[in-house]
Amino acid sequence: MEITPVRDELHMITLDFGTVYLWRDAHGLTLVDTGTAGSAEGIEEGIRRIGLEPAALRRIVLTHHHEDHTGSAAELALRWSAEVVAHRLEAPVIRREQPPVPPVLSPFEQELWAGLPPIPPAEPCPVHREVEDGDVLDIGGGAVVVHVPGHTDGSIALHLPGPGVLFTGDVVANVQGRTMPGVFNTDPALTLASFHRLAALPVETVVFGHGDPIAEGGSAALRAAAEQHPQA
C-alpha cells in the first residue's frame, strides 16, 4: 500500500489492486472508490498514516460498479456508517439486484483481460444516494456529478470547480505517461464521447481510476489527449 499526496486536501491510496482517493473537508472525509474486497483494513491504515481517523469517513462515492472499485464499499460503509453514493444506473448492480453488462473487448483488450489476476467478488452494498448528471455533492465546496457512460452505463466523474479537481473514474486512464480513454468498456464509442466531454472541463488537477495523477495543468493534458483520440 502506497500513499501519494496529490494536494493538501487529496491523497491517493494505491492498494495491491486498485486505487482509491481520500478527500478531506472540514466536516469529514470522502472516499472515492474502495478497491477490491478485503481492502478495508489497508484503506483504514492509509487514512491513519495521513494523520486522520477512519471514524471521520462520511461518504463513499463509487464511480462505477466494477469490483476493483466497489469491493470494500459494503464493509467500510457498515463500519463507519458512511453514506454510499452512485449513479442510479449503477445502484442495482452494486446492490447485486441485477447482473452487470459485460464489456466489448478488442483483440488487444482480450489479451489484457486474460492476464488480469482474479478479483474477489464484491459483497452486495447499499446505495444510500442515487445521483444523476448535474447533481451536486457537498465535497470541496460543491462537486458536480458528471455522467460519463461507456465504461459502464452509469459511470460518473466528479468535477470540483472551486479547487479545480476532476475524478475521472475509469473513463480516462493515465498510464506510463499516456493519457487515454480507459479499456474494458461496454460501449467504446460512448466512452470516447465521455472522454471528450471531460476534456472540455476547466480543471487543474486530474486523478484517474488507473494511473498517475496530474497535479497541475490538467485541462491542457486532457485536451491534448483528446486530440490524439478524435471522435468518429
Side-chain angles (χ1 to χ4, degrees):
M1 187 257 294
E2 181 180 349
I3 301 169
T4 304
V6 182
R7 49 192 294 159
D8 288 346
E9 320 96 318
L10 176 62
H11 286 75
M12 178 174 74
I13 302 174
T14 305
L15 305 165
D16 290 339
F17 193 94
T19 301
V20 306
Y21 293 95
L22 188 71
W23 180 271
R24 178 179 63 202
D25 279 309
H27 55 274
L29 304 177
T30 296
L31 189 67
V32 179
D33 293 328
T34 67
T36 58
S39 299
E41 290 186 2
I43 291 169
E44 291 165 357
E45 178 187 347
I47 292 172
R48 293 188 178 100
R49 282 194 198 176
I50 297 166
L52 304 171
E53 287 298 326
L57 185 62
R58 298 286 179 265
R59 182 186 297 106
I60 298 169
V61 179
L62 300 175
T63 60
H64 61 291
H65 70 256
H66 287 161
E67 292 176 324
D68 57 327
H69 293 257
T70 63
S72 292
E75 184 175 0
L76 288 165
L78 180 62
R79 285 190 189 184
W80 306 112
S81 300
E83 176 189 50
V84 178
V85 180
H87 193 275
R88 67 170 179 83
L89 295 177
E90 300 293 279
V93 185
I94 293 168
R95 297 186 185 112
R96 299 299 181 259
E97 296 168 351
Q98 69 181 44
V101 176
V104 176
L105 301 179
S106 68
F108 167 70
E109 289 174 315
Q110 290 174 4
E111 292 183 15
L112 287 180
W113 187 272
L116 291 175
I119 299 175
E123 292 294 324
C125 180
V127 177
H128 305 107
R129 180 175 177 183
E130 299 182 18
V131 294
E132 300 269 8
D133 186 66
D135 286 351
V136 179
L137 305 178
D138 185 19
I139 305 169
V144 181
V145 174
V146 186
H147 182 206
V148 282
H151 185 64
T152 64
D153 291 347
S155 285
I156 59 172
L158 289 183
H159 179 213
L160 283 61
V165 174
L166 177 66
F167 298 82
T168 72
D170 278 4
V171 171
V172 189
N174 188 48
V175 180
Q176 296 179 346
R178 293 181 58 217
T179 306
M180 55 192 168
V183 295
F184 308 147
N185 304 302
T186 59
D187 188 327
L190 200 51
T191 299
L192 187 58
S194 291
F195 178 93
H196 279 260
R197 183 183 182 192
L198 294 183
L201 295 175
V203 295
E204 183 68 18
T205 300
V206 186
V207 293
F208 308 89
H210 299 278
D212 299 324
I214 298 174
E216 298 178 344
S219 285
L222 289 178
R223 286 196 302 270
E227 290 175 0
Q228 298 298 314
H229 296 86
Q231 293 179 264

